[in-house]
């Protein structure tokens, strides 16, 4: 059974149609990559799956674990396992990073009928993940994303993914603004989480993210839909020839 | 109408006073070298607070939170008079207004001719939780002295929808997400003793 099924999805902002009959199926354990020029609708796709209220879905179907996602609120989607690492994470002045992580985890546990995590278990879960991603105690004490560098924000997104352990992880340009070392750290975080029940959708412009992560499929997105699907070798073709041949 | 009284807490020269604000308002005189800390939680009706800084190095800090719901009509008037030179004042005003409530905030900083080398600031921020909620803010600076520093700012708006979505995208329910953001806005502005009342108001109305 597919984890995520998208059929002829159409979405717009205001009068502007962005997703045009977009279709994609993702099975458990698969890693999919979407590449495409700026403005082709990659972030819109991710945001629509996450339930961003700015985007209006005007047609099509979106099923996750056999549930109709389009009827669900963003928090309900998150709590059945949908996660989006944002291209530009929002700053939350006054909201402490550690407390935020705890609140998010408890929300997920409550949705699953479990009781809140205790302080010791919380730290035991947080510490190794934060260390692996190079996130210091000082960062965890600060307000979420406030005053973080671009790279720190990206790593904080990855920490949330590692901490919440969602079944479907969308990473929107997680590689932008990262140096080689940080990129390697982020790739490791993805690889460690690859499991037979978990799937990934990576949005990127660059082949270099795929040096460490080996995807099952690469899709090229143009003007709101997938125009070409291939295996991992498609990235190299793209790097060489550019998007123009798919226009 | 909520049954909870408005809360008032004041510390002047080490002496603390807590209670409610009388309807006729409060006038607080701060002599030379003294500092007054005033915290006010306005839940219904009106509040008038006037602080007069009467001697050099007198200073005040006024923190106010107004919470207004249903069809309430509230007025909050704050006035700081820098009667003496070399005095300092700081006002931090936060508000959350919901349903069809209206709050009018009027804050004045007066620095007459003699008030040289004074520093005054007023910062007002309010969140409207419904399209029908209204805040009218009229900050006023009445400054006749020339060697002073005076700053004021006012921001009124709905909750940040991007921040709300971010929290919800991590599994946090809308109401909890809203409370987290509201709490973050008012965090630095109130004494711990007001916390339970604020929490109760939020649980019921926000
Ligand atoms: N919230 C929004 N408001 C207005 N226009 C938007 C919004 N989000 C996306 N768009 C527009 O939709 C198109 C696709 O954007 P986006 O999904 O961000 O593309 P990509 O991530 O592939 O660069 C662009 O033309 C962009 O300007
Ligand atoms: Mg994008």
């Amino acid at each position: 059974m597919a984890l995520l099924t998208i059929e002829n999805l159409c979405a717009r902002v205001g009068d502007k149609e962005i997703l045009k009959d977009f279709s994609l199926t993702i099975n458990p354990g698969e890693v999919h990559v979407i590449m495409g020029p700026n403005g082709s609708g990659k972030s819109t796709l991710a945001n629509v799956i996450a339930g961003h209220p700015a985007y209006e879905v005007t047609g099509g179907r979106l099923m996750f674990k056999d549930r109709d996602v389009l009827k669900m609120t963003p928090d309900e989607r998150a709590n059945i396992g949908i996660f989006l690492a944002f291209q530009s994470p929002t700053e939350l002045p006054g909201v402490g990073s550690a407390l935020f992580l705890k609140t998010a985890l408890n929300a997920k546990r409550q949705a699953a009928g479990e009781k809140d995590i205790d302080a010791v278990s919380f730290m035991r879960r947080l510490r190794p993940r934060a260390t692996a991603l190079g996130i210091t105690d000082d960062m965890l004490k600060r307000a979420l994303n406030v005053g973080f560098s671009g790279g720190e924000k990206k790593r904080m997104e990855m920490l949330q993914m590692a901490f919440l352990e969602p079944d479907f992880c969308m990473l929107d340009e997680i590689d932008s603004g990262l140096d080689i070392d940080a990129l390697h750290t982020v790739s490791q975080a993805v690889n460690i989480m690859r499991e037979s029940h978990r799937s990934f959708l990576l949005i990127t412009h660059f082949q270099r993210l795929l040096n460490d992560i080996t995807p099952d499929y690469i899709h090229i997105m143009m003007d709101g839909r997938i125009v070409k699907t291939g295996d991992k070798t498609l990235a190299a073709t793209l790097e060489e020839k550019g998007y123009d041949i798919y226009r | 109408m909520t049954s909870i009284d408005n809360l008032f807490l004041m510390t002047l020269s080490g002496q603390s006073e807590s209670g409610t604000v009388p309807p006729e308002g409060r006038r607080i005189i701060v002599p030379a070298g003294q500092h007054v800390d005033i915290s006010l939680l306005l839940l219904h009706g009106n509040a008038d607070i006037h602080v007069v800084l009467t001697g050099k190095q007198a200073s005040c800090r006024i923190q106010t939170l107004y919470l207004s719901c249903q069809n309430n009509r509230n007025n909050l008037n704050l006035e700081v008079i820098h009667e003496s030179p070399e005095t300092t004042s700081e006002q931090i005003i936060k508000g959350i207004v919901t349903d069809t409530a209206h709050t009018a905030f009027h804050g004045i900083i007066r620095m007459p001719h003699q008030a040289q080398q004074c520093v005054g600031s007023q910062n007002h921020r309010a969140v409207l939780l419904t399209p029908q909620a209204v805040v009218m803010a009229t900050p006023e600076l009445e400054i006749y002295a020339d060697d002073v520093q005076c700053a004021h700012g006012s921001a009124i708006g709905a909750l940040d929808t991007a921040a709300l979505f971010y929290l919800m995208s991590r599994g946090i329910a809308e109401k909890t997400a809203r409370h987290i953001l509201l709490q973050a806005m008012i965090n630095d502005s109130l004494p711990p003793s007001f916390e339970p009342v604020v929490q109760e108001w939020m649980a019921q109305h926000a």
Side-chain angles (χ1 to χ4, degrees), chain B residues 135-187:
Chain B
V135 169
M136 287 192 312
T138 45
E140 197 181 322
L141 304 179
E142 190 192 270
I143 298 179
Y144 292 103
D146 44 28
D147 181 18
V148 298
Q149 289 176 47
C150 212
H152 71 110
S154 178
I156 304 166
L159 266 190
D160 179 356
T161 52
L164 205 55
F165 172 64
Y166 190 90
L167 291 168
M168 291 179 72
S169 79
R170 299 305 184 235
I172 299 169
E174 186 173 359
K175 184 167 175 150
T176 310
R178 205 162 50 228
H179 286 188
I180 288 173
L181 296 177
L182 292 172
Q183 196 67 52
M185 178 192 73
I186 64 182
N187 239 351

Side-chain angles (χ1 to χ4, degrees), chain A residues 4 6 9 11-13 16-20 22 24 26 32-52 55 62 83-88 154 168-176 200-207 209-210 218-228 238 243 247, chain B residues 165:
Chain A
L4 179 79
I6 308 173
L9 195 64
R12 66 181 181 199
V13 174
K16 190 180 160 72
E17 304 287 343
I18 307 176
L19 297 184
K20 300 165 183 172
F22 185 98
L24 176 66
I26 297 181
H32 290 241
V33 173
I34 292 190
M35 304 180 88
N38 275 328
S40 54
K42 305 181 299 296
S43 293
T44 298
L45 172 70
N47 276 298
V48 165
I49 296 172
H52 196 297
Y55 302 90
L62 181 55
F83 179 89
L84 169 57
F86 291 95
Q87 184 174 351
S88 318
K154 298 287 182 170
F168 179 54
C169 309
M170 298 181 281
L171 277 53
D172 192 355
E173 296 200 20
I174 197 73
D175 47 353
S176 63
F200 290 84
L201 181 64
L202 311 178
I203 295 170
T204 182
H205 283 294
F206 305 107
Q207 194 190 350
L209 179 66
L210 309 178
I218 294 181
H219 311 280
I220 297 172
M221 187 167 178
M222 300 279 238
D223 194 24
R225 61 169 77 86
I226 289 173
V227 295
K228 168 94 183 156
L238 263 184
Y243 293 115
R247 279 186 208 275
Chain B
F165 172 64

